[in-house]
């Protein structure tokens, strides 16, 4: 039900509708009243005009047609006319569809929906199905900001339960709606009454959900257990029990339940999703999430949408978001932008920081004067391996891009797409397809010439509080765009692989992280490239550890997290990554000792 952009106010649309009605042009009158209805669904004048059009047409519902691309205003208008014609059940079906399409609009906030006598004209089974339709179309639970427009349906449920106090399906459906709208005590009461009236699998499930929302875990598990006894083949209930147990710290019991489900059907989607989520929750091995992503890719027609993979990846470094960069130059920049002190004019660094960090600071704080005490070896201004893709040149310790600025189209495309978070790596890969048509020169140019952040709420936050995060977003998405470059080329000899490898082994920079993330993402979405990617990641992290024995590596921790996100990584590299993150590796200890020696030497040099 595509919705047109409202160009006129409801009053203006009504005026045009009345004018068309006076001229006998009922089609145009209907079009204007539906537009008014979208903007003011409960305005009495809109409903009065709708009734006049209905009377003039002799009840011609085809003035408000339904179809594959029905306009939501026409759907709602038709619903009201059906109710007025004595067919309220059909009208409620259409209102429920409209509420599912746009739950924030008050489609049902009209007298006929909340009239106490309405349920007497409806079959209770039909009312229950309508309430279930609402439940299926809205989030669980419904966000507070969306609850008020749905409360008329809860009033309908109250009235229906009053008229039909012992109907089990109606009581269960009413409970499900009440629970979604935050009326937990009422949900428990209705669901319990429904089960007492007639115990059914569905009724016990509704009761279990209500108890769970009320924090009554023991009673919730008992109700769900009774549901399993009534229908041992409904494996979705097994998954619900497992999820409830896991949420309450009973992970071993949860896994026992999910194993029982998988023993019955190893491909049942709810059980598979829950199993991988719980195994990841237990041991943190990303292999469980990769296996889940593989299952999702190989089973696109699951019974319903699942959020387990996104839930596990949310807020985790590189699995669900860009890791923020650190370092003295960025700390000084953030303090200046946050108003925590005077604008910095001079900053002395113990060691050289990544070129992207230096460029970001100089762009955001042009008056900042940075002095680097020393450039420790191995020289961070040199690529770690020979490359034909040199992005930076140095004048002393000052970096400058070697590439021209990208095209305006490339800059605008990345501004629309770049974001610091994504549901999971395959979702990031899919989203980056919007960069597939950009030229290679543009994608590389974006890495060293990031455009300004967009004039959105997120863009303003990033540019005003942490410009470094926006730069990192651009670099990450540009490298994801490289994954879509010339995808017809076989991976081993492809341009995309070659360029990403050169970036990974180039000058130590945020671009190294972005390119490695792109390579890791390729391994998530294409199992055939996993051995190659795991080998590259292992080599790059080993090199980081070797360099870290001589000096600090600012990107070391981030690369370690990237390693842990890599499919099929060998155990030794995984162990090294964990050591780098916790700071317990010999490399980290050597780095701390080197920094201590620097501080002591500086003290003895003072007069």
């Amino acid at each position: 039900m595509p919705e047109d952009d409202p160009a006129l106010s409801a009053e203006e649309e009504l005026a045009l509708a009345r004018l068309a009605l006076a001229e006998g042009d009922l089609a145009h009158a209907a079009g204007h009243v539906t537009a008014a209805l979208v903007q003011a669904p409960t305005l009495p004048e809109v409903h009065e005009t709708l009734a006049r059009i209905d009377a003039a047409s002799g009840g011609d519902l085809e003035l408000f047609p339904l179809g594959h691309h029905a306009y939501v205003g026409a759907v709602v208008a038709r619903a009201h006319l059906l109710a007025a014609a004595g067919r309220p059940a059909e009208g409620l079906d259409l209102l429920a569809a409209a509420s599912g399409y746009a739950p924030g609009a008050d489609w049902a906030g009209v007298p006929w929906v909340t009239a106490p006598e309405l349920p007497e004209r409806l079959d209770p089974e039909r009312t229950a199905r309508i309430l279930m339709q609402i439940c299926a179309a809205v989030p669980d639970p419904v966000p507070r900001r969306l609850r008020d427009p749905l409360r008329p349906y809860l009033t309908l449920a109250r009235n229906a339960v009053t008229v039909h106090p012992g109907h089990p399906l109606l009581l269960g459906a009413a409970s499900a709606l009440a629970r979604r709208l935050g009326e937990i005590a009422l949900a428990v009461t209705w669901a319990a009454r429904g089960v007492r009236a007639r115990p059914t699998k569905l009724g016990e499930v509704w009761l279990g959900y209500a108890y769970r929302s009320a924090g009554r875990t023991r009673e919730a598990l008992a109700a769900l257990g009774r549901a399993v006894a009534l229908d041992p083949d409904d494996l979705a209930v097994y998954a619900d029990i497992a999820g409830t147990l896991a949420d309450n710290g009973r992970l071993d019991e949860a896994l026992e339940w999910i194993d029982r489900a998988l023993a019955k059907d190893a491909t049942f989607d709810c059980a598979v999703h829950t199993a991988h989520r719980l195994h990841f929750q237990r041991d943190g091995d990303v292999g469980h999430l990769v296996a889940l992503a593989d299952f999702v890719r190989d089973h696109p027609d699951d019974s319903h949408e699942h959020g387990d993979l996104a839930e596990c990846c949310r807020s985790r470094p590189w699995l669900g978001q860009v890791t923020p960069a650190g370092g003295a130059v960025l700390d000084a920049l953030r303090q200046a932008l946050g108003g925590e002190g005077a604008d910095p004019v001079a900053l002395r660094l113990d060691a050289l920081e990544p070129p992207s960090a230096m460029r970001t600071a100089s762009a955001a704080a042009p008056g900042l004067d940075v002095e680097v005490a020393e450039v420790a070896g191995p020289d961070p201004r040199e690529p770690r391996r020979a490359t034909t893709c040199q992005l930076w040149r140095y004048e002393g310790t000052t970096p400058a891009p070697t590439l021209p600025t990208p095209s305006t189209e490339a800059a605008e495309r990345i501004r629309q797409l770049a974001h610091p978070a994504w549901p999971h790596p395959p979702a990031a890969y899919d989203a980056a397809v919007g960069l597939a048509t950009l030229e290679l020169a543009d994608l590389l140019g974006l890495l060293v010439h990031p455009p300004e952040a967009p004039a959105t709420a997120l863009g303003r936050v990033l540019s005003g509080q942490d410009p470094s995060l926006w730069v990192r977003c651009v670099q990450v998405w540009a490298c994801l765009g490289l994954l879509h470059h010339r995808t017809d080329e076989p991976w081993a000899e492809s341009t995309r692989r070659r360029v990403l490898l050169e970036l990974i082994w180039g000058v130590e920079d945020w671009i190294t992280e972005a390119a490695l993330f792109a390579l890791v993402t390729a391994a998530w979405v294409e199992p055939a490239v996993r051995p190659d990617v795991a080998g590259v990641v292992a080599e790059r992290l080993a090199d980081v550890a070797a360099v870290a024995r001589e000096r600090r590596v600012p990107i070391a921790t981030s690369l370690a997290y990237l390693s842990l996100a890599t499919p099929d990584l060998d155990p030794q590299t995984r162990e090294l990554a964990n050591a780098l993150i916790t700071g317990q590796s010999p490399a980290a200890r050597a780095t701390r000792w080197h920094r201590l020696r620097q501080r002591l030497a500086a003290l003895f040099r003072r007069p």
Side-chain angles (χ1 to χ4, degrees):
M1 291 183 288
E3 190 164 331
D4 298 339
D5 291 332
L8 302 174
S9 68
E11 290 77 9
E12 289 171 322
E13 294 286 5
L14 282 179
L16 293 172
R18 293 176 186 131
L19 182 60
L21 181 60
E23 295 174 348
D25 189 348
L26 298 184
H28 279 93
H32 287 298
V33 81
T34 57
L37 192 57
V38 166
Q39 297 179 62
T42 61
L43 188 67
E45 290 84 349
V46 175
H47 291 270
E48 291 170 6
T49 306
L50 177 62
R52 289 178 57 195
I53 294 171
D54 185 50
S57 69
D60 184 6
L61 292 176
E62 293 312 309
L63 287 170
F64 308 95
L66 301 182
H68 185 63
H69 296 290
Y71 177 48
V72 66
V75 172
V76 174
R78 192 179 181 111
H80 294 315
L81 295 179
L82 284 168
R87 298 157 63 184
E90 296 174 66
L92 285 170
D93 280 336
L94 293 180
L95 280 189
S99 292
Y101 170 73
D106 193 9
W107 307 119
V110 290
W112 72 265
V113 174
T114 56
E117 64 274 11
L118 176 62
E120 297 176 357
R121 302 163 56 197
L122 300 171
D123 177 74
E125 185 98 2
R126 183 71 176 271
T127 305
R129 299 293 175 189
I130 291 168
L131 297 179
M132 292 165 67
Q133 183 183 350
I134 295 291
C135 291
V138 300
D140 184 8
V142 174
R144 290 185 179 277
R145 61 184 176 81
L146 297 179
R147 290 180 182 176
D148 284 345
L150 298 171
R151 292 196 184 280
Y153 297 111
L154 186 59
T155 301
L156 169 64
R158 290 179 188 273
N159 293 336
V161 167
T162 300
V163 174
H164 306 284
H167 195 282
L169 186 65
L170 175 61
L171 286 163
S175 170
L177 180 61
R179 179 173 56 81
R180 282 169 170 77
L181 296 180
E183 300 286 347
I184 307 302
L186 185 59
V188 170
T189 298
W190 281 344
R193 282 173 55 185
V195 168
R196 285 196 301 270
R198 185 170 74 244
T200 64
K201 185 274 300 283
L202 189 54
E204 293 286 10
V205 168
W206 277 325
L207 180 58
Y209 289 171
Y211 278 140
R212 188 171 63 185
S213 296
R216 297 162 66 173
T217 304
R218 182 180 60 82
E219 292 157 295
L221 290 170
L224 294 174
R226 292 192 297 270
V228 169
L230 289 165
D231 184 0
D233 293 326
D234 188 345
L235 302 185
V237 184
Y238 291 63
D240 286 333
I241 292 174
T244 303
L245 288 165
D247 290 342
N248 286 273
R250 299 161 64 177
L251 196 54
D252 289 339
E253 293 176 76
L255 288 168
E256 289 176 7
W257 272 94
I258 215 63
D259 287 341
R260 287 174 59 185
L262 292 174
K264 288 178 173 287
D265 183 354
T267 64
F268 181 67
D269 56 339
C270 291
V272 172
H273 282 258
T274 303
H276 286 305
R277 173 170 59 84
L278 296 185
H279 280 291
F280 178 74
Q281 185 176 329
R282 182 174 65 177
D283 59 28
D285 185 351
V286 77
H288 302 302
L289 303 187
V290 175
L292 179 52
D294 289 346
F295 180 85
V296 172
R297 183 188 61 250
D298 296 338
H299 298 80
D301 299 323
D302 282 351
S303 61
H304 61 272
E305 186 177 349
H306 297 82
D308 300 81
L309 182 57
E311 178 184 334
C312 291
C313 291
R314 184 179 299 116
S315 301
R316 292 182 180 272
W318 294 114
L319 290 174
Q321 67 178 39
V322 177
T323 61
V329 69
L330 293 184
D331 290 342
L333 176 61
R334 289 169 183 145
Q335 289 177 6
L337 295 175
E340 299 177 21
D343 291 344
V345 292
L347 181 66
R348 180 179 173 84
L349 299 178
D350 293 337
L352 191 63
E353 298 204 11
S356 290
M358 304 288 281
R359 290 279 297 177
T360 299
S362 63
L368 183 63
D369 180 22
V370 179
E371 178 186 351
V372 180
E374 66 170 335
V375 179
D379 194 334
R381 296 168 297 185
E382 296 295 329
R384 295 303 302 151
R385 289 185 179 176
T387 177
T388 61
C389 188
Q390 190 79 18
L391 302 185
W392 301 105
R393 68 174 185 274
Y394 276 88
E395 295 180 6
T397 58
T398 302
T402 63
L403 302 178
T405 57
S407 66
T408 302
E409 178 191 358
E412 186 56 34
R413 195 90 62 86
I414 202 83
R415 279 159 52 88
Q416 294 173 2
L417 189 62
H419 195 278
W422 45 83
H424 43 74
Y429 174 83
D430 291 342
V433 73
L435 302 173
T437 58
L438 293 185
E439 297 293 334
L440 178 60
D442 276 339
L443 290 169
L444 294 175
L446 288 168
L447 296 174
V448 292
H449 295 288
E452 291 185 0
T456 61
L458 175 65
R460 287 190 290 271
V461 169
L462 293 180
S463 60
Q465 298 181 15
D466 192 353
S468 68
L469 187 53
W470 169 248
V471 173
R472 288 170 70 77
C473 289
V474 171
Q475 292 171 337
V476 162
W477 287 92
C479 286
L480 288 173
L482 285 169
L483 286 182
H484 294 277
H485 182 72
R486 297 184 183 175
T487 53
D488 58 315
E489 297 177 347
W491 172 257
E493 299 84 27
S494 65
T495 303
R496 58 192 187 282
R497 178 184 183 274
R498 175 183 58 79
V499 172
L500 286 171
L501 284 179
E502 295 209 14
L503 296 177
I504 287 166
W505 289 103
V507 170
E508 203 173 90
D509 190 35
W510 298 347
I511 295 169
T512 311
E513 303 169 58
L516 198 63
F517 173 65
L519 211 62
V520 170
T521 300
W524 273 72
V525 300
E526 182 51 64
V529 311
R530 287 173 187 171
D532 175 48
V533 171
V536 171
V537 171
E539 282 188 82
R540 191 65 186 88
L541 196 67
D543 183 74
V544 166
V547 173
R549 294 188 182 97
E550 306 298 326
R551 60 168 172 79
R552 184 177 70 89
V553 180
I555 63 174
T557 300
S558 180
L559 292 186
Y561 277 116
L562 272 165
S563 301
L564 295 180
T566 304
D568 297 348
L569 191 70
D570 66 273
Q572 294 78 13
T573 303
R574 186 172 299 279
E575 183 179 351
L576 175 60
N578 281 312
L580 288 170
I581 290 169
T582 59
Q584 298 305 309
S585 68
R589 287 195 295 271
T591 299
R592 288 196 294 272
W593 174 241
H594 176 70
R595 292 158 89 179
L596 177 60
R597 285 187 298 172
Q598 283 185 316
R599 293 191 187 100
L600 291 173
L603 286 173
F604 285 119
R605 283 198 299 268
R606 290 177 183 174

